[in-house]
Amino acid sequence: MNKDYFEDELFEGKNYTTVPFLKGEYDHCRFTNCVFTKTDLSKTIFADCFFEHCDLSMAELKNTTFRDVQFKHCKLLGLRFDECNSFLLSFSFEDCMLNFSSFYKQKLKNTNFINCKLAETEFAEADLTNAVFSNCD
């Protein structure tokens, strides 16, 4: 697998169901209006990234790293966050749809869920210390 490094880049309007997604490390990148539906994001590193108006539904997250990642106005249906790399895992969600996703046993300390849809989302055995659920269903 070829690993690529991307820093301070904007990815706008990309549809990764029709064009290949390059696995690697994304640092301080912004994804706007991108489609990642059923895309394999396994072993990809996202650090200090921002996703806005993106659809990541049913994406593969095995050993995916999310460090200080923000999701805003995103569709995140059926995601297995419990399969992510848990080392330094940190993200926030605002105006997102997280239905049918799983955070089983994840450490979600200080995680913000603001105006989110969380129907059938699993938080069993998750550490939700100081997590904020504001205006969520």
Side-chain angles (χ1 to χ4, degrees):
M1 175 177 69
N2 185 20
K3 285 276 196 175
D4 291 294
Y5 181 77
F6 304 91
E7 185 175 16
D8 294 318
E9 290 194 38
L10 171 63
F11 298 89
E12 190 168 12
K14 300 282 187 189
N15 185 343
Y16 294 109
T17 63
T18 59
V19 298
F21 174 76
L22 296 176
K23 290 187 180 187
E25 185 170 349
Y26 293 82
D27 192 8
H28 290 91
C29 291
R30 184 179 193 93
F31 298 87
T32 304
N33 295 311
C34 293
V35 178
F36 295 88
T37 305
K38 296 184 180 177
T39 300
D40 185 0
L41 303 177
S42 298
K43 299 181 182 174
T44 301
I45 298 169
F46 297 100
D48 296 302
C49 290
F50 185 76
F51 291 82
E52 185 172 31
H53 295 287
C54 292
D55 185 351
L56 286 85
S57 297
M58 302 300 291
E60 186 70 44
L61 299 180
K62 286 186 178 138
N63 293 311
T64 302
T65 299
F66 290 108
R67 269 181 278 175
D68 296 320
V69 173
Q70 297 176 53
F71 294 96
K72 191 169 184 179
H73 302 289
C74 290
K75 188 174 178 183
L76 307 160
L77 301 177
L79 292 183
R80 297 284 311 270
F81 290 102
D82 57 322
E83 295 182 339
C84 289
N85 179 350
S86 60
F87 184 69
L88 298 176
L89 179 72
S90 62
F91 33 48
S92 65
F93 303 92
E94 185 176 342
D95 295 309
C96 291
M97 188 178 295
L98 287 148
N99 298 346
F100 308 106
S101 293
S102 177
F103 292 94
Y104 178 68
K105 287 190 174 183
Q106 286 293 13
K107 292 180 180 149
L108 302 173
K109 291 182 178 182
N110 304 308
T111 301
N112 289 327
F113 296 88
I114 311 298
N115 300 321
C116 292
K117 303 276 186 211
L118 298 164
E120 302 295 327
T121 300
E122 180 180 25
F123 291 100
E125 298 184 45
D127 182 350
L128 297 167
T129 305
N130 295 321
V132 174
F133 292 88
S134 177
N135 201 31
C136 295
D137 69 353

